């Protein structure tokens, strides 16, 4: 206040962001003037803006009539204002054009009508004014519709961090890849064949000869396709596919038109080298998982310039697994663009003379006498000049996932109960999608009563059959069926459809860009190296504070067993004995594609870093499973993509039976399981079942009744991630953990010695933790037991 007057700003300043008033475009820098409201003066107030002088009476009126927008500022002495009062949002002051202001300055000082002419009929001035010309050629202000200024100021939400884009985002590739195929957004038809695809029956007495090693350095002319090596031995950074340039391969020599053209520089493909060893015979080498020297089982590549009639022979010479379903009758997958266009036929099983055997090429990833394996098959192309693809299983890329999720987002009905968010970004900068499927609750108490179900998949990039089970699960749970509506009304589904998008994009079989198996790093995940695993654990831990997680399931593919089956975690607590077997047993009753006898519930030490064991051990989720789907099929018939999608429906159907308020089905299954397990235990001891009928279940050890749940070549973690920027941090963390564990043991020994020295007796027996039940689940188990009582 200066001599009984106050200064009020006339235009928007940075201190009051909600006061948006537009200045005329033709004179933004001229002082604005409001007639009959007092002179306008400049001031170096920190928030900027012009001010007009008002009296004390007007200031008090403004203070009583409008409490919104009041700001009191204390200024330094010396003529500067002590208080600044912005005009209330309900009555913004007008900004007139420069021409009108010039006319007003040249007119008489008492022209009150010039200032009131800018007001509308309601008495409020317009938000802005634009110059216009009247009949006399003079410019006058043209009022615009008043702008709503009653907006609460707030920060802009960082929607780019968690909201899914409205279009397909091109994937990001690691730096070091020289180029991509001219059509990187490749898509295939997923129509199932109209006929049953039976297993291949090998002729009796087939000779599995050793493949002779071919030295590529001495015969480079036979190399018809080869990718350039990676420029870095570890992951550094990524970039969008739009910045990658397609370049010709330097070793792609085509001496005549009969040579096949190979290509694998597109999403999920992994062919490294192709050599022509005969007129229609080719030896193929798969690319290892990036930044590793192992994990070759998945294959996916393109072959063009085909010839109909001749019998081609393909041999993949650098596979690592000692056993394969190809020796059980499995066939490779084949896709023809001409068949898809003319006959609407998608992927089909094909090939004859299929053999999987050990060759004489030594492995480079380990020491000792260990050799690689070869897969060979013969095939005839249906068309000349066709573009064809071969794959280990039905491809499902990162772009395919985005297309499926985009279709759900555009559906006006599904979008009401399906919320899509970005859980995090992967190491390569690709989005990790999170779906929340549930019926919106009208009351908070109703929402808290819902239990949660967590389903994840594709932690191993080459196990594409898990994505088709996930697609079937999502299609059913978001569908219009009454059963799906019941599930949405009673459960909150948290779905992560692709845990390892980086590996899917580059065509890895098992590992991520950190060169490690993500499904062996759930126990102590490093956020900077395994952001997806860390985020999933954080999401589940946060959800457990709000509601109970009734089931966790991670979807996988299996390369050695038939059918679909589950791995679980054996609960040895008396109240929950054999309960982990109920859900898999009920699923085996609902579909013949699921084989309960292949399920295993043994908790192995080498698998303690997997998702199912960590969720059971650290989070206390008793129903924690890994559902495995074979790459082949069942009953000597191959699985189609539709068969895999049907497993998603059977999973939901079993969930309805398991969580039915009427526990008749669950009690019946549990009693049958008790009888079967007791019979197996009696047979193991060489006794009759009547001899142990009174023996409690918690006193029985079922660990010897099951074989190992192995089948993976990476059962044990490979150590810290292959990232130089995290190596020092990991080493420091490991040293701290080891030192702390040593100190805990030493303190425990000292405490026992002190007690025995003082009392002369042994220390009191500490209540033993229930065998087989995780430490973090004890409180949850006690609460449930109290509810049952």
């Amino acid at each position: 206040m200066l001599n009984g007057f106050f200064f009020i700003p006339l235009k928007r300043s940075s201190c009051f962001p909600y006061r948006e008033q537009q200045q005329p475009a033709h004179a933004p820098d001229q002082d604005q003037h409001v007639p009959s409201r007092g002179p306008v003066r400049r001031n170096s107030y920190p928030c900027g803006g012009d001010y007009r002088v008002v009296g004390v009476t007007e200031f008090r009126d403004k203070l009583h009539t409008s409490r919104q927008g009041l700001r009191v500022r204390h200024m330094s002495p010396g003529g500067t204002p002590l208080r600044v009062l912005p005009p209330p949002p309900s009555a913004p002051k007008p900004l007139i054009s420069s021409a009108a202001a010039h006319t007003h300055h040249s007119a008489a000082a008492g022209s009150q009508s010039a200032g009131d002419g800018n007001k509308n009929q309601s008495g409020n001035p317009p938000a802005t004014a634009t110059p216009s010309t009247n009949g006399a050629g003079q410019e006058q202000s043209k009022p615009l519709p008043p702008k709503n200024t009653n907006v609460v100021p707030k920060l802009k939400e960082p929607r780019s961090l968690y909201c899914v884009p409205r279009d397909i985002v091109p994937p990001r590739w690691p730096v070091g890849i020289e180029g991509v195929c001219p059509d990187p957004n490749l898509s295939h038809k997923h129509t199932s064949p109209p006929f049953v695809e039976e297993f291949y029956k090998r002729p009796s007495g087939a000779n599995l000869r050793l493949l002779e090693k071919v030295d590529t350095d001495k015969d480079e002319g036979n190399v018809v396709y080869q990718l350039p090596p990676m420029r870095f031995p570890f992951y550094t950074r990524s970039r969008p596919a739009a910045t990658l340039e397609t370049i010709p391969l330097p070793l792609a020599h085509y001496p005549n038109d009969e040579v096949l053209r190979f290509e694998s520089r597109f999403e999920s493909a992994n062919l490294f080298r192709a050599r022509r060893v005969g007129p229609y015979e080719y030896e193929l080498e798969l690319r290892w998982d990036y930044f590793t020297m192992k994990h070759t089982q998945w294959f996916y590549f393109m072959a063009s310039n085909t010839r109909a009639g001749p019998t081609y022979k393909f041999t993949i010479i650098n596979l690592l697994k000692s056993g394969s379903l190809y020796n059980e009758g499995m066939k490779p997958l084949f896709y023809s663009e001409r068949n898809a266009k003319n006959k609407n036929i998608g992927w089909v099983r094909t090939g004859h003379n299929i053999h999987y055997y050990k060759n004489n090429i030594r492995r480079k990833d380990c020491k000792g006498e260990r050799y690689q394996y070869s897969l060979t098959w013969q095939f005839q192309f249906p068309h000349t000049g066709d573009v064809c693809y071969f794959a280990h299983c039905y491809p499902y890329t990162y772009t395919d996932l985005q297309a499926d999720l985009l279709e759900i987002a555009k559906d006006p009905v599904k979008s009401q109960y399906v919320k899509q968010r970005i859980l995090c970004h992967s190491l390569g900068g690709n989005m990790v999608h999170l779906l929340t499927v549930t019926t919106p609750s009208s009351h908070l108490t109703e929402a808290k009563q819902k239990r949660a179900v967590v389903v994840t998949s594709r932690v191993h990039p080459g196990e594409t059959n898990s994505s088709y089970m996930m697609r079937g699960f999502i299609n059913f749970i978001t569908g219009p069926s009454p059963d799906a509506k019941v599930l949405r009304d009673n459960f909150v589904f948290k779905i992560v459809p692709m845990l390892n998008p980086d590996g899917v994009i580059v065509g890895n079989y098992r590992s991520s860009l950190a060169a490690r198996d993500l499904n062996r790093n759930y126990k102590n995940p490093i956020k900077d190296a395994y952001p997806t695993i860390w985020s999933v654990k954080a999401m589940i831990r946060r959800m457990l504070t709000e509601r109970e997680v009734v089931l966790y399931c991670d979807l996988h593919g299996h390369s050695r067993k038939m059918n679909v089956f589950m791995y679980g975690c054996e609960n040895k607590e008396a109240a929950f004995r054999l309960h982990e077997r109920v859900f898999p047993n009920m699923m085996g009753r609902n579909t013949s594609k699921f084989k309960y006898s292949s399920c295993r519930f043994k908790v192995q030490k080498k698998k303690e870093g997997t998702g199912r064991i960590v969720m059971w051990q650290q989070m206390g989720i008793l129903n924690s499973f890994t559902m495995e789907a074979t790459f082949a099929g069942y009953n000597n018939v191959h699985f189609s993509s539709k068969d895999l999608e049907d497993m998603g429906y059977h999973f939901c159907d079993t969930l309805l039976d398991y969580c039915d308020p009427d526990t008749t089905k669950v009690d019946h299954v549990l009693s049958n399981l008790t009888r079967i397990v007791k019979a197996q235990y009696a047979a193991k001891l060489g006794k009759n079942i009547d001899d142990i009928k009174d023996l409690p279940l918690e006193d029985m050890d079922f660990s010897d009744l099951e074989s190992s749940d192995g089948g993976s070549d990476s059962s044990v973690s490979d150590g810290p991630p292959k990232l130089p920027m995290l190596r020092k941090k990991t080493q420091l963390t490991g040293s701290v953990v080891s030192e702390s564990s040593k100190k805990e043991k030493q303190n425990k020994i000292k405490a026992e010695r002190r007690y025995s020295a003082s009392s002369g007796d042994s220390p009191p027996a500490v209540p033993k933790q229930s065998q087989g039940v995780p430490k973090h689940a004890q409180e949850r188990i006690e609460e449930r037991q109290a509810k049952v009582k």
Side-chain angles (χ1 to χ4, degrees), residues 16 35 212 240 290 348 366 521 587:
F16 314 112
E212 295 181 0
Y290 272 109
V348 294
C366 58
N521 291 278
M587 194 164 182

Side-chain angles (χ1 to χ4, degrees), residues 252-461:
H253 304 298
Y254 304 110
N256 53 58
D257 292 336
E258 295 182 355
V259 179
L260 291 177
R261 269 70 164 171
F262 293 92
E263 185 59 79
S264 64
R265 293 177 295 170
F266 53 88
E267 198 172 346
S268 296
N270 67 337
L271 179 64
F272 175 69
R273 181 188 293 123
R275 302 182 70 258
R276 191 187 185 205
V277 297
Y280 301 103
E281 184 176 355
Y282 295 87
E283 287 182 354
L284 311 176
E285 291 185 45
L286 304 179
R287 177 184 49 75
W288 315 104
D289 281 8
Y290 272 109
F291 317 117
T292 70
M293 292 292 292
K294 55 183 178 179
H295 305 317
T296 53
Q297 186 70 26
W298 158 264
F299 62 87
Y300 178 34
F301 59 89
M302 181 182 72
S304 59
N305 194 33
T306 61
R307 293 290 180 269
T311 300
Y312 288 82
K313 183 179 180 180
F314 300 96
T315 304
I316 301 176
I317 65 173
N318 63 333
L319 300 173
L320 299 183
K321 290 197 173 183
S322 58
S324 175
L325 292 172
Y326 287 105
N327 283 337
E328 305 295 331
M330 177 178 165
K331 297 180 180 179
L333 277 166
F334 169 76
Y335 184 91
S336 169
E337 287 190 354
R338 190 169 296 182
N339 283 347
K341 181 179 179 181
N342 300 334
K343 301 180 182 180
N344 197 28
I345 297 178
W347 290 94
V348 294
R349 299 282 179 174
T350 187
H352 57 277
N353 290 337
I354 303 172
H355 302 290
Y356 188 92
Y357 55 94
K358 183 193 292 186
N359 57 39
N360 61 352
I361 305 177
R362 268 189 192 179
R363 293 179 57 170
K364 300 179 181 180
D365 63 317
C366 58
K367 299 179 180 179
E369 297 286 333
R370 299 189 65 181
Y371 295 90
Q372 299 178 1
Y373 291 80
S374 295
L375 169 65
T376 179
W377 74 94
Q378 294 181 351
F379 172 74
Q380 290 181 343
F381 289 101
H383 305 287
T384 300
D386 195 4
V387 178
C388 303
Y389 301 85
F390 291 94
H392 178 64
C393 190
Y394 302 98
Y396 190 90
T397 64
Y398 181 66
T399 304
D400 293 335
L401 172 66
Q402 291 190 78
D404 289 346
L405 298 183
L406 188 62
E407 184 178 352
I408 295 176
K410 292 182 178 180
D411 192 309
V413 178
K414 293 182 178 180
S415 59
Q416 295 180 3
Y417 45 79
V418 180
K419 303 302 179 184
Q420 301 186 31
R421 293 291 183 266
I422 297 176
L423 177 65
C424 65
H425 285 80
S426 63
L427 184 63
N430 294 290
M431 298 179 297
V432 179
H433 298 81
L434 171 65
L435 276 67
T436 304
V437 183
T438 187
T439 302
S441 302
S442 57
H443 301 286
L444 183 60
T445 56
E446 180 183 353
K448 290 184 177 181
Q449 291 176 356
K450 292 183 179 181
R451 293 182 289 179
V453 176
V454 181
V455 184
T456 62
S457 71
R458 211 62 184 279
V459 68
H460 293 151

Side-chain angles (χ1 to χ4, degrees), residues 23-44:
Q23 296 191 34
H26 60 279
D29 297 331
Q30 296 189 17
D31 293 341
Q32 307 300 323
H33 181 73
V34 180
S36 71
R37 293 294 185 182
V40 176
R41 59 178 293 180
R42 283 283 190 183
N43 195 291
S44 58

Side-chain angles (χ1 to χ4, degrees), residues 327-608:
N327 283 337
E328 305 295 331
M330 177 178 165
K331 297 180 180 179
L333 277 166
F334 169 76
Y335 184 91
S336 169
E337 287 190 354
R338 190 169 296 182
N339 283 347
K341 181 179 179 181
N342 300 334
K343 301 180 182 180
N344 197 28
I345 297 178
W347 290 94
V348 294
R349 299 282 179 174
T350 187
H352 57 277
N353 290 337
I354 303 172
H355 302 290
Y356 188 92
Y357 55 94
K358 183 193 292 186
N359 57 39
N360 61 352
I361 305 177
R362 268 189 192 179
R363 293 179 57 170
K364 300 179 181 180
D365 63 317
C366 58
K367 299 179 180 179
E369 297 286 333
R370 299 189 65 181
Y371 295 90
Q372 299 178 1
Y373 291 80
S374 295
L375 169 65
T376 179
W377 74 94
Q378 294 181 351
F379 172 74
Q380 290 181 343
F381 289 101
H383 305 287
T384 300
D386 195 4
V387 178
C388 303
Y389 301 85
F390 291 94
H392 178 64
C393 190
Y394 302 98
Y396 190 90
T397 64
Y398 181 66
T399 304
D400 293 335
L401 172 66
Q402 291 190 78
D404 289 346
L405 298 183
L406 188 62
E407 184 178 352
I408 295 176
K410 292 182 178 180
D411 192 309
V413 178
K414 293 182 178 180
S415 59
Q416 295 180 3
Y417 45 79
V418 180
K419 303 302 179 184
Q420 301 186 31
R421 293 291 183 266
I422 297 176
L423 177 65
C424 65
H425 285 80
S426 63
L427 184 63
N430 294 290
M431 298 179 297
V432 179
H433 298 81
L434 171 65
L435 276 67
T436 304
V437 183
T438 187
T439 302
S441 302
S442 57
H443 301 286
L444 183 60
T445 56
E446 180 183 353
K448 290 184 177 181
Q449 291 176 356
K450 292 183 179 181
R451 293 182 289 179
V453 176
V454 181
V455 184
T456 62
S457 71
R458 211 62 184 279
V459 68
H460 293 151
E463 298 172 359
T464 58
N465 42 6
S466 64
S467 286
Y468 285 93
M469 291 192 296
M470 176 62 77
R471 173 192 271 183
F473 172 75
I474 293 176
N475 289 342
F476 178 81
I477 205 65
T478 60
S481 65
D483 289 345
K485 187 178 183 304
V486 171
L487 288 174
R488 293 194 299 265
D489 292 342
N490 293 275
F491 295 96
V492 176
F493 293 91
K494 293 289 185 177
I495 305 170
V496 185
M498 191 170 287
L499 281 169
N500 192 355
D502 297 338
V504 173
I505 291 168
V506 301
N508 284 358
Y509 171 61
R510 198 169 186 88
S511 61
S512 65
L513 291 182
R516 295 295 178 262
D517 186 351
L518 294 182
N519 200 35
R520 297 297 182 270
N521 291 278
Y522 272 89
K523 193 171 184 179
N524 296 302
I526 304 173
K527 184 178 181 180
D528 296 334
Y530 319 120
T532 58
I533 304 303
W534 188 92
S535 300
V536 167
K537 284 191 65 176
M539 181 263 294
I540 296 176
R541 187 181 292 108
R542 182 172 58 253
M543 187 167 51
L544 284 171
T545 61
E546 302 173 356
R547 54 177 50 88
E548 176 191 359
V549 178
V550 66
L551 186 142
Y552 165 86
C553 187
D554 189 19
L555 307 182
H556 284 258
H558 208 278
S559 61
R560 298 185 184 182
K561 289 185 178 181
M562 297 289 182
N563 303 284
V564 182
F565 52 93
M566 281 185 173
Y567 292 143
C569 301
E570 183 180 5
N571 298 308
K572 296 185 179 181
E573 177 68 21
F576 301 99
R577 190 64 163 161
L578 299 181
H579 278 226
E580 74 281 351
R581 302 171 184 247
V582 174
F583 186 88
N585 189 275
M586 297 178 72
M587 194 164 182
R589 294 169 180 263
N590 289 336
T591 174
S592 60
K593 301 172 186 175
F594 189 93
K595 190 175 181 180
Y596 174 75
S597 60
S598 298
C599 297
R600 297 291 180 268
F601 304 93
K602 186 177 180 180
V603 178
Q604 296 176 304
K605 185 176 181 58
K606 64 181 181 180
K607 298 293 184 69
E608 288 183 351

Side-chain angles (χ1 to χ4, degrees), residues 689-710:
I689 190 173
D690 295 332
D691 299 336
I692 61 171
K693 64 179 181 179
D694 297 332
L695 184 66
L697 287 175
E698 55 269 20
D699 295 339
M700 300 182 184
D701 186 11
F702 302 143
S703 59
D704 296 335
L705 301 179
E706 297 180 351
S707 61
S708 172
D709 59 352

Side-chain angles (χ1 to χ4, degrees), residues 238-251:
S238 65
R239 56 181 177 176
T243 62
L244 302 177
E245 298 180 359
T246 302
I247 60 174
L249 295 176
L251 296 179

